[in-house]
Each structure stands twice: as structure tokens, then as C-alpha cells.
Amino acid sequence: MYTPFLQHLETALNERFRLQRRPIPEGLEQRVSDRGRCPATIQSWSYQCPELRKIRYTYIDAGQVSQILNSVIYPSHHYDLPLLGIDFLSFGKVKNLVVMDFQPLFQDEAYLEKYITPLKALHDQYPDLSQDLEMKSYDANQYFSKYLLFAKTDAETVKTRVFEAFQDYLRLYFQLLEAAEPLTAPAEIQRVVQAQKDYDQYSAERDPASGLFSSYFGHDWSERFLHEFLFEDAVPLAAAAG
Ligand code: BLA
């Protein structure tokens, strides 16, 4: 379902950046489960380059049962750019949930004007993919922009409109990155370091996928996947407490 998206993401990255593999902890790169109704495979990739300190994407293929593409791009700490967040989920071909956003690190006016306002023109082209759905796990006002794509749609629309929107959002993101001025003041860079860490902490604590991971791949593997790969800069709650 999302294979063309995955291929486009890889091509777009390789056209623009000199990617280096970023190591994925032992055992987390790939896993196969036969617990569900359909065998499920989860596979992840991770890269870095001078402009982007962590690019990660994950594909879950459980055949007819579910197909998921999830990705986050973290710019280097000397860019205060939003993170690029992608979460495309299909369950049984009938339920398709697509989310894509420039995920703001800060919510002040000046920041939003600089990095989110440029998204408006694109967003306006896809009213069908901007459905104002309610978020249950996340707070829509933290790490999300008002111009996110957020829709429940059908498989045909995924292939056409969502694929177009995905390419457009990705292109604009790379344009903003190209135009961005690197930060030089240590305090400003430190602020970005902290904001990206806070994003990982927030996301690790709320990720609605942990139940799905556990059911397919077991609790222990899922915890490792969450804390050692997806959101590796989050401090596990138990460690934070004690
Ligand atoms: C929702 N994302 C979900 C759900 C799952 C995942 C299972 C719930 C779907 C449902 O309501 O039935 C899946 N999340 C994943 C997977 C990974 C993950 C597979 O992190 C990792 C491999 N989620 C993101 C990113 C964004 C995001 C980067 O990981 C930003 C674009 C958004 N996912 C997002 C939103 C929802 C969601 C907004 C709806 C949740 C809500 O209602 O609060």
C-alpha cells in the first residue's frame, strides 16, 4: 500500500543528501511475527547526513490486515526547523488514516510564522485531507501545526491525493531546509537539542502504537523498539523516577 511512498522518500532523500547509514540497535532492524491473523514484518531504516541528524522510517507489512509507514526526520541541532512527521496507516484496506506534518519544536508566533505559514498554500490545496479530526492520544497544540494533513480516507485516495500531497509536503520541507540559516549561538543550539529531546519524551509516552507492537512482537521487544530506536532520546519513566 505504501511501497511507492517508501520508494519516493528514499529517492527524494538520495537526490538531495549524501546519506550515511545510522546504526539501528541489534535485533530492532527487522522482525517477523506469526502471532496475528497474518504474518507481520516490521522493517526499519535509518540514515544521517550533515543537515539531518536522524532520518528514520519503518514499514509494517501485515498483508491485508495492516500496512503502515511511519517516519520522522530530525534536522541537525543547528537548525531549529520543525521535524517532519509521517504516519500512514491502513487497516484491512478499509480504514486508512494518514497524518503528515511539519512538527513545530516551538509554538511562539515568530517561529510559526517562519516555518508553518509557508505550509498554508500547500495545505489549502488538500482540503479533502485536512479533516479536523480529534486527536485522542496527542495534544494537537503541541508538536503539531495547524496545516497538518490528517484524514481518514479510502484506498484510492491514498494512491492519488495522498501520494501527491506527500510529495508536495516533502519537497517544501527540503526547500525550507535548504533556505535555513544554521544557528551559531551555543544557547540557541542547546535550545534545539532540548526541544528535540522533549519531542522524543512526549512521543514515547503517548505513542498509540505500543499496543500494536506488543501484540505482534511482544512487550519486551516493543519497549526496546520504542526507547532504543523510535524515540531514543526519551528517558524511560522508571529510569526518570528512580
Ligand atoms: C495514530 N499511529 C496512530 C495509531 C497507530 C499509530 C497504531 C492509532 C491508530 C488508530 O487510531 O487506530 C502507529 N505510531 C504508529 C507506528 C509508529 C508510531 C507504527 O510511532 C512507529 C513505527 N504519529 C507519528 C508521527 C506523527 C503521528 C511521526 O508517529 C506525526 C505526523 C501522528 N498518529 C499520529 C496521529 C494519530 C496517530 C495524530 C491519531 C492519534 C490520536 O487520535 O491522538
Side-chain angles (χ1 to χ4, degrees):
M1 186 91 175
Y2 297 107
T3 309
F5 293 72
L6 185 73
Q7 285 167 351
H8 177 77
L9 179 63
E10 294 189 327
T11 306
L13 285 166
N14 279 299
E15 269 172 5
R16 292 174 177 84
F17 306 104
R18 293 183 54 178
L19 302 182
Q20 271 195 322
R21 270 180 191 283
R22 192 172 186 278
I24 297 177
E26 182 76 38
L28 299 182
E29 192 166 343
Q30 206 196 348
R31 178 130 170 136
V32 182
S33 157
D34 49 15
R35 286 189 184 191
R37 276 177 285 152
C38 220
T41 306
I42 184 166
Q43 189 167 0
S44 298
W45 297 263
S46 192
Y47 299 96
Q48 59 193 339
C49 58
E51 302 85 350
L52 303 169
R53 70 171 186 90
K54 179 177 180 183
I55 298 162
R56 65 151 172 90
Y57 47 94
T58 295
Y59 202 97
I60 299 177
D61 178 359
Q64 300 286 329
V65 176
S66 65
Q67 299 267 320
I68 302 176
L69 173 63
N70 178 280
S71 176
V72 179
I73 295 182
Y74 297 77
S76 300
H77 289 137
H78 55 270
Y79 292 111
D80 63 357
L81 234 74
L83 311 185
L84 184 73
I86 297 168
D87 205 8
F88 294 152
L89 309 105
S90 293
F91 298 100
K93 292 228 167 128
V94 283
K95 178 178 170 188
N96 304 284
L97 178 70
V98 296
V99 197
M100 181 166 188
D101 199 11
F102 292 9
Q103 299 200 262
L105 291 176
F106 307 105
Q107 290 285 348
D108 58 280
E109 281 292 318
Y111 183 89
L112 299 178
E113 177 63 29
K114 186 170 177 187
Y115 292 123
I116 303 303
T117 303
L119 197 49
K120 182 178 189 307
L122 258 188
H123 179 261
D124 288 351
Q125 291 176 31
Y126 297 100
D128 48 329
L129 302 180
S130 172
Q131 298 176 352
D132 209 17
L133 304 171
E134 194 199 340
M135 289 191 191
K136 294 176 221 106
S137 324
Y138 300 106
D139 174 357
N141 299 312
Q142 224 183 330
Y143 307 118
F144 285 99
S145 83
K146 61 176 171 178
Y147 301 130
L148 85 165
L149 300 178
F150 189 15
K152 279 191 181 145
T153 189
D154 56 89
E156 188 53 34
T157 305
V158 168
K159 283 187 205 144
T160 53
R161 296 285 289 164
V162 177
F163 190 47
E164 264 177 63
F166 168 68
Q167 295 177 66
D168 283 346
Y169 269 54
L170 203 56
R171 193 178 310 116
L172 178 63
Y173 187 74
F174 292 143
Q175 282 169 4
L176 288 188
L177 177 64
E178 231 165 78
E181 285 285 328
L183 304 173
T184 51
E188 290 186 337
I189 294 171
Q190 203 45 50
R191 190 167 162 258
V192 174
V193 170
Q194 191 57 49
Q196 290 195 4
K197 252 189 208 154
D198 292 346
Y199 172 89
D200 269 18
Q201 190 70 41
Y202 177 86
S203 304
E205 285 169 17
R206 288 169 190 247
D207 198 334
S210 64
L212 179 142
F213 293 143
S214 295
S215 71
Y216 280 132
F217 308 109
H219 177 264
D220 293 354
W221 188 89
S222 304
E223 282 293 299
R224 277 197 68 209
F225 187 65
L226 201 75
H227 286 286
E228 295 177 33
F229 177 61
L230 292 181
F231 307 112
E232 67 196 73
D233 292 331
V235 181
L237 281 181

